[in-house]
Amino acid sequence: MNNEDMHTGFLVETNSQLLNMISDLKNQAFIGVDTESNSLFEYQERVCLLQFSTLTQDYLVDTIKLKDLTALNEIFSSKSIEKIFHAAEYDLMCLKRDYQFEFNNIFDTMIASRILGFRSIGLQSLLKDFFNVEAEKKFQRANWGKRPLSDEMLRYAQCDTHYLIQLREILSEKLKQEDKWELATEDFKRVTCVDAFVNNKNHDHYWKIIKGASLSPLQETILIEIYFLRENLAQQINRPPFKIFGNQTIVDIAKKMPKNESQLRIISGLSPKLIHKYGDQILHTVNLGASHEPNHRKEKIRPNPVYLQKYDALKNWRKKKGIELSVDSDVVLPKEHMEKLAHTKNISLSVVQEIMHDIPYRFRKFGNEILKVVEGIG
């Protein structure tokens, strides 16, 4: 890692250290922020490290040792302190889930890079391009919930926020030069409104596994039972479900409906060790699923032709506009707004404005064009 200019980060492990850090952060106009979590190692993911950077200090907050981070809400909700993230959305969802923080005044360097039309928008690419810093990759999948954290891991985490304030200055200047500042700030504001992350909110992730798989109603019923068996096993040993066995293995079990151990052995993804540990439970669950009424998947309601025409027209328009502006098409018009516009029957400029109420810059820039695209259809 070519980052010799980085001073040693300060590890925050006590309440007094936390309060001292917050006193420093309250006096800042800009701070870099990032998180590290343990989604690859536990059933219920949690934020394990929280990084902050000012122009003179990098802080590494140990969220495993510190049980109460309520005082940080003053920083995150502040309208005067700008919090600089890279790819803020998931960080905010996790922080809202774990700590119920509120967020105001965000700058997202990934969103800014997309709006500027950069080909490479990953933080590693940006650090290399602007600061000639080669960031390590080996800790991206590290177990951040394990203690103690090595000096090398802390250095890696520190690098994720150390350059964010400088990067923000470069990107904000480019946004202003290209007259895209207002567009970017619109999306920064939108990202603060994301919901707290909820894993498998409706307990129906099995539909994602079934999607694309050719299964009979009986096989689908067995798949759902095996899916919940895997969830229960993962919860019992506190491991992510994929570390029990993978989605394709669930599909294969459902398709082959094994009745004994020898039939389990021919299923890809079920090692002898897994069969020894869970074979009896898998066979019992297959038998249980087979005894139930077969599942009949609800047929998806096909969108009406007028909606499809409007949607396709808007999609083609934003694609052309994206090429014209050298940005991805969804930067021009987000998908959720495109869907609402296509669903609306009695369209008018005021209706377009209402649908685009949370993206007012885009309405002022493109509202009349969007109205022309859809008003003649249907």
Side-chain angles (χ1 to χ4, degrees), residues 82-83 85 88 92 103-108 188-189 191-192:
E82 185 176 272
K83 280 70 65 176
F85 289 81
L92 268 56
F103 291 90
N104 285 303
N105 198 359
I106 295 295
F107 187 104
D108 188 326
F188 300 157
K189 186 175 181 180
V191 81
T192 65

Side-chain angles (χ1 to χ4, degrees), residues 46-223:
R46 62 165 293 183
V47 174
C48 301
L49 193 71
L50 183 51
Q51 304 100 283
F52 295 97
S53 286
T54 69
L55 286 171
T56 57
Q57 182 64 64
D58 300 318
Y59 296 100
L60 302 151
V61 181
D62 190 334
T63 61
I64 301 292
K65 291 187 177 179
L66 287 165
K67 304 303 181 186
D68 187 1
L69 298 181
T70 307
L72 280 171
N73 195 55
E74 182 180 1
I75 303 299
F76 287 125
S77 63
S78 170
K79 294 181 180 179
S80 61
I81 305 169
E82 185 176 272
K83 280 70 65 176
I84 307 161
F85 289 81
H86 184 83
E89 183 175 19
Y90 193 66
D91 287 321
L92 268 56
M93 290 170 71
C94 291
L95 289 167
K96 287 184 177 185
R97 174 199 64 204
D98 291 354
Y99 306 107
Q100 297 78 53
F101 292 140
E102 297 176 36
F103 291 90
N104 285 303
N105 198 359
I106 295 295
F107 187 104
D108 188 326
T109 53
M110 189 186 79
I111 290 175
S113 300
R114 291 192 76 228
I115 289 172
L116 288 165
F118 290 0
R119 285 176 175 267
S120 298
I121 59 173
L123 184 59
Q124 289 177 338
S125 297
L126 297 173
L127 294 182
K128 175 63 176 173
D129 291 345
F130 291 112
F131 307 109
N132 197 30
V133 169
E134 295 278 2
E136 290 281 6
K137 295 182 180 180
K138 65 180 180 180
F139 295 117
Q140 287 178 334
R141 300 171 69 85
N143 186 356
W144 292 95
K146 191 176 179 180
R147 293 295 181 272
L149 295 170
S150 69
D151 290 343
E152 205 176 0
M153 288 175 73
L154 291 171
R155 191 80 167 164
Y156 165 89
Q158 181 185 357
C159 188
D160 280 350
T161 56
H162 180 78
Y163 297 94
L164 287 181
I165 297 176
Q166 294 168 263
L167 182 58
R168 183 258 184 218
E169 291 305 307
I170 294 168
L171 298 180
S172 62
E173 187 60 35
K174 289 180 179 293
L175 288 168
K176 290 169 185 174
Q177 288 172 356
E178 296 186 20
D179 195 25
K180 293 178 177 177
W181 175 254
E182 203 173 344
L183 173 59
T185 55
E186 185 166 274
D187 281 355
F188 300 157
K189 186 175 181 180
R190 289 177 69 224
V191 81
T192 65
C193 299
V194 296
D195 293 328
F197 181 79
V198 179
N199 187 33
N200 197 6
K201 185 176 182 180
N202 299 314
H203 301 287
D204 62 357
H205 275 190
Y206 49 79
W207 290 123
K208 292 182 180 179
I209 301 173
I210 291 174
K211 187 178 180 181
S214 179
L215 300 174
S216 69
L218 175 59
Q219 289 169 331
E220 286 189 1
T221 304
I222 291 171
L223 182 145

Side-chain angles (χ1 to χ4, degrees), residues 206-207 210 213-227 250-259 282-297:
Y206 49 79
W207 290 123
I210 291 174
S214 179
L215 300 174
S216 69
L218 175 59
Q219 289 169 331
E220 286 189 1
T221 304
I222 291 171
L223 182 145
I224 292 168
E225 293 293 337
I226 294 293
Y227 168 86
I250 292 180
V251 172
D252 290 345
I253 292 170
K255 281 184 174 181
K256 293 173 181 175
M257 297 186 288
K259 294 180 174 60
I282 292 170
L283 292 172
H284 173 75
T285 304
V286 170
N287 189 50
L288 185 68
S291 69
H292 289 169
E293 278 291 314
N295 174 70
H296 291 282
R297 204 185 317 187

